[in-house]
Amino acid sequence: MLPLKNIFATPAAALRRMARLLAVLAVALGAASCEDDELGAPPSPAPARTVKTVLMYLPWSTNLTQNFYTNIADMERAVASSAGDSVRVLVYMCTTATEAELFELVPEGSACRREVIREYHDPAYTTAQGIASMLADVRAAAPAPRYAMTIGCHGTGWLPVSMGRSRSAGEAPRFHWQATGGPLTRFFGGTTAESQTDIATLAEGIEAAGMHMEFILFDDCYMASVEAAYDLRHVTDYLIGCPTEIMAYGMPYAVVAPHLLGTPDYAAVCSAFLDFYSSYPYPYGTIGVTCTAELDSLARVVGKIEDAYELDPALRPYIQRMDGYSPAIFFDLGDYISAICTDEALLAEFRSQLVRAVPYSAHTPNYYSAFGGVVSIRAYSGITTSAPTASSYASAWRQTEWYRATHPAAD
């Protein structure tokens, strides 16, 4: 073959001869390929393309560790039966307060094997930088055009970690996971302030990783909170969570995950969740799915109502509470607005937007709280607010992004 630098100096006749030679070679190669097909040589299989990576994120949560192992086993059943090659499921789990590992659930016949990707020592899972670094490891191990995550731990909605840290031992708040004598429920983070993560920190970590989520499923208590959802509206399309406490068993992944691993069917997720908890030994469960793209519009109409009306404290006991705290911290958002707004047109506008913001939800007739016991559900919208609370635990409510968005005159 001529050196590259001489091709353009070749006479026209020589170029024509080279063209004919190349054409003959192309025909010969094509014929050989056809002959291979006729002889039955199988074509090389195209590599499987990952269309979505789902992360089960299980930070240190002390007394929920055994429940996490059950959750992983349930997810393995879902992966083995429905995930296929196009969806990969990774698990980040803290096995102790200072040790964690990242592993993949790899389908193998009717089961899964756990393929360890990385082990961590003293992971910084409560910082935005630490969360971003962990997510970068997930992306490097299982790159995909779409990402989603589940988060399993204890949870207290939007309440900041600093609320527990800033008080002395004698003044420290007592939370639902500290209750004794009844069934355990589950907090976003561990049972000490040092192992808990602020929602804003989670959002910052996801944003820093550049991994917008298709959905975030909170397998924790009280995380279907409009204040928490508003903080996360830029990093995920949907949020799935419980407005009340959830039993320690957590999300029933064996029946819920098949509706999430492919194209999400959020209505089916709520239905499967309700079916599971309706027949559970402790038949209490609440769930809501929030569409984050609708939250700014929801904030605008709530802002109009908040600007025009104030809560009469005498009405507080009649608003649907969604917790067992005293005073209550979490209230049903729809029932709160219905209690304060007397303008029927404005109330109709709110209700219409609320359905767009929380398009799917389900609940058993009652919910359970470690402090409050069994509480009946009279009104339910699938999402809570702390706007009516008089609790000192929620003293930082006016510093939330949701408050600022719904009270622009306060800025």
Side-chain angles (χ1 to χ4, degrees):
M1 181 180 290
L2 293 172
L4 182 61
K5 64 179 180 181
N6 289 331
I7 287 180
F8 297 104
T10 305
L15 285 173
R16 285 194 293 273
R17 284 196 299 273
M18 288 178 64
R20 285 196 296 272
L21 176 60
L22 291 172
V24 171
L25 287 171
V27 171
L29 289 171
S33 176
C34 290
E35 287 173 7
D36 286 344
D37 287 345
E38 289 170 3
L39 291 172
S44 300
R49 187 174 74 90
T50 302
V51 298
K52 182 163 71 175
T53 293
V54 178
L55 170 67
M56 289 187 79
Y57 178 48
L58 305 169
W60 179 238
S61 297
T62 319
N63 55 358
L64 293 178
T65 302
Q66 290 305 313
N67 298 108
F68 288 169
Y69 285 122
T70 300
N71 296 153
I72 294 169
D74 280 355
M75 181 65 86
E76 286 176 325
R77 290 169 56 192
V79 169
S81 64
S82 63
D85 291 334
S86 61
V87 179
R88 297 174 67 180
V89 177
L90 274 61
V91 179
Y92 174 96
M93 179 176 176
C94 288
T95 52
T96 72
T98 59
E99 303 290 327
E101 62 180 6
L102 178 67
F103 57 90
E104 182 171 1
L105 305 182
V106 181
E108 206 165 61
S110 59
C112 284
R113 60 182 169 85
R114 300 178 186 181
E115 188 172 292
V116 177
I117 296 168
R118 182 174 175 182
E119 295 180 342
Y120 301 82
H121 305 286
D122 292 320
Y125 54 83
T126 63
T127 69
Q129 183 178 3
I131 292 170
S133 178
M134 178 271 295
L135 290 174
D137 291 341
V138 171
R139 167 179 263 165
R146 292 153 54 203
Y147 296 95
M149 69 188 297
T150 70
I151 302 175
C153 40
H154 290 294
T156 53
W158 64 271
L159 296 185
V161 173
S162 59
M163 179 268 301
R165 288 179 179 162
S166 62
R167 297 169 180 241
S168 67
E171 298 175 321
R174 188 164 177 259
F175 289 111
H176 52 277
W177 65 88
Q178 297 170 305
T180 58
L184 181 66
T185 59
R186 54 169 71 187
F187 179 86
F188 182 38
T191 57
T192 63
E194 290 71 30
S195 58
Q196 296 163 11
T197 306
D198 279 323
I199 293 298
T201 300
L202 173 66
E204 185 182 347
I206 296 172
E207 193 164 17
M211 292 169 63
H212 187 88
M213 299 295 166
E214 180 178 60
F215 66 80
I216 296 175
L217 184 155
F218 279 109
D219 193 3
D220 331 280
C221 301
Y222 300 125
M223 295 310 297
S225 146
V226 72
E227 292 87 357
Y230 201 71
D231 276 350
L232 293 164
R233 71 194 186 283
H234 296 312
V235 297
T236 186
D237 295 331
Y238 286 88
L239 287 159
I240 308 167
C242 302
T244 63
E245 291 171 48
I246 182 173
M247 307 313 297
Y249 186 95
M251 196 62 59
Y253 291 101
V255 295
V256 165
H259 304 299
L260 291 172
L261 295 181
T263 300
D265 184 339
Y266 297 112
V269 167
C270 292
S271 179
F273 177 93
L274 181 62
D275 287 347
F276 177 88
Y277 272 107
S278 293
S279 58
Y280 190 64
Y282 301 102
Y284 315 112
T286 62
I287 190 171
V289 179
T290 302
C291 174
T292 58
E294 297 292 342
L295 289 176
D296 280 323
S297 295
L298 183 65
R300 280 192 287 274
V301 66
V302 170
K304 288 194 287 186
I305 294 169
E306 294 278 21
D307 186 55
Y309 300 94
E310 287 187 9
L311 173 67
D312 180 350
L315 295 176
R316 189 178 289 118
Y318 302 100
I319 301 172
Q320 176 70 61
R321 63 183 299 154
M322 303 303 284
D323 63 27
Y325 290 107
S326 182
I329 300 173
F330 303 102
F331 296 82
D332 184 81
L333 175 61
D335 203 41
Y336 162 64
I337 294 297
S338 296
I340 67 171
C341 182
T342 58
D343 184 322
E344 289 300 325
L346 194 51
L347 190 57
E349 182 185 355
F350 163 76
R351 288 172 175 164
S352 178
Q353 183 56 38
L354 180 61
V355 170
R356 286 191 286 270
V358 189
Y360 311 102
S361 63
H363 67 90
T364 53
N366 307 303
Y367 70 85
Y368 174 82
S369 167
F371 282 154
V374 178
V375 183
S376 63
I377 298 176
R378 166 187 59 78
Y380 187 81
S381 57
I383 196 166
T384 65
T385 182
S386 295
T389 187
S391 173
S392 61
Y393 288 14
S395 59
W397 184 69
R398 286 177 172 77
Q399 279 75 60
T400 63
E401 289 293 323
W402 174 255
Y403 176 85
R404 285 194 281 270
T406 55
H407 298 75
D411 287 342

